[in-house]
Amino acid sequence: AVEQAVLRRNIADSFVNLGRRNQNLLVRQLDFITSLERVETDPDVLANLFRLDHLATRMRRNAESLLVLAGVEAPRQWATPVPVTDVVRAALGEVEDYQRVAVRSMDPVTVVGSTAADLAHLMAELMENALVFSSEDQLVDIRGHARADGGYLIGVIDTGTGMPPEAMDTANRRLAGSESFTVAPSKYLGHYVAGNLAVRHGIRVSLSPTTGSRGTTATIELPPGVLHQDALAVGPPPPPPGPAPALEPEAV
């Protein structure tokens, strides 16, 4: 038991070390790219910088996933409540094929700043899974609506290959944070990252078959405690972002 405890601690320490090193480098890289974007006037060069920015942002999410698996609190947080549509935009900026994600409808609500960055990360993991298991000509839909109890539901809906019932049950246990990531192949680490982030904020994430399709729907249930009840987001859902994320969290 002592040996197992030491092994788990060493693994966690290694994740923290690697995650922080990579994150520090990527933050510096993103800052440098942003400074180049501000002074660049050539449209073609600017487009390439946006693509580079997007790649670095995705790499930053992978570095932060190591910290999540190690149980370290997210270093990025918004200082003020954030409209849920801006959280969705931040998540879109962290996935590869964001052009195939369609924000269909989102009831206005704001998320507390301490939860917004983790929620964006969680949504990015689920969006990426949905995109990977859908063909290139299929869209992934995002929908959100308020609940009568003061909570909020977000759906990440694909019409892709779907999952067998046994595999879906296993995935839901991972998303509930009830399993250790050390017992599963690395291709499932995204489930554990999403599950750890959800447990951290009392969020419930579950998978179910998409109605009328063989695809999969990921449902994110936000409790009232992570919502800012006194401020509501207004306006229609935002369009998908360009290659560079349109919004970065504020440092606290």
Side-chain angles (χ1 to χ4, degrees):
V2 172
E3 291 177 353
Q4 289 295 323
V6 171
L7 176 61
R8 286 193 295 270
R9 186 176 67 248
N10 288 341
I11 292 175
D13 289 345
S14 297
F15 280 176
V16 171
N17 193 311
L18 288 172
R20 284 178 172 164
R21 286 185 180 186
N22 289 338
Q23 187 184 54
N24 289 338
L25 290 173
L26 287 166
V27 168
R28 290 168 58 188
Q29 183 180 20
L30 283 166
D31 288 343
F32 181 60
I33 294 171
T34 300
S35 67
L36 294 177
E37 290 171 346
R38 288 171 178 166
V39 299
E40 184 56 57
T41 57
D42 187 303
D44 292 334
V45 175
L46 191 59
N48 287 332
L49 288 173
F50 284 158
R51 292 180 59 189
L52 185 60
D53 193 324
H54 188 219
L55 286 170
T57 301
R58 290 162 52 202
M59 292 170 64
R60 182 182 61 188
R61 174 167 66 89
N62 290 335
E64 290 180 354
S65 292
L66 292 176
L67 299 179
V68 171
L69 292 174
V72 177
E73 291 290 332
R76 288 190 301 139
Q77 292 186 358
W78 274 277
T80 58
V82 184
V84 68
T85 48
D86 284 350
V87 177
V88 173
R89 293 183 71 177
L92 287 170
E94 297 184 357
V95 297
E96 181 174 3
D97 293 330
Y98 61 88
Q99 301 95 333
R100 291 201 291 119
V101 179
V103 182
R104 298 298 186 186
S105 61
M106 299 289 293
D107 288 347
V109 74
T110 52
V111 180
V112 296
S114 58
T115 301
D118 280 352
L119 178 58
H121 190 160
L122 187 160
M123 291 188 65
E125 296 290 346
L126 298 176
M127 288 178 187
E128 190 165 86
N129 279 349
L131 290 166
V132 168
F133 291 101
S134 302
S135 63
E136 294 183 356
D137 61 344
Q138 293 177 320
L139 296 177
V140 172
D141 290 348
I142 307 296
R143 300 179 185 272
H145 67 85
R147 301 195 311 187
D149 63 358
Y152 195 87
L153 291 179
I154 299 174
V156 181
I157 308 162
D158 73 65
T159 55
T161 57
M163 301 176 67
E166 298 81 4
M168 187 170 290
D169 290 342
T170 301
N172 279 327
R173 287 197 297 272
R174 299 187 192 110
L175 291 169
S178 58
E179 284 189 0
S180 170
F181 70 89
T182 58
V183 301
S186 59
K187 66 179 180 179
Y188 298 121
L189 287 182
H191 287 165
Y192 291 106
V193 172
N196 285 5
L197 290 169
V199 169
R200 179 182 294 174
H201 299 284
I203 298 170
R204 185 174 182 269
V205 181
S206 61
L207 303 180
S208 60
T210 298
T211 303
S213 168
R214 64 177 182 175
T216 301
T217 294
T219 302
I220 305 168
E221 301 180 32
L222 304 181
V226 305
L227 303 177
H228 192 259
Q229 302 297 335
D230 297 331
L232 295 178
V234 295
L247 177 69
E248 289 293 337
E250 299 173 5
V252 296

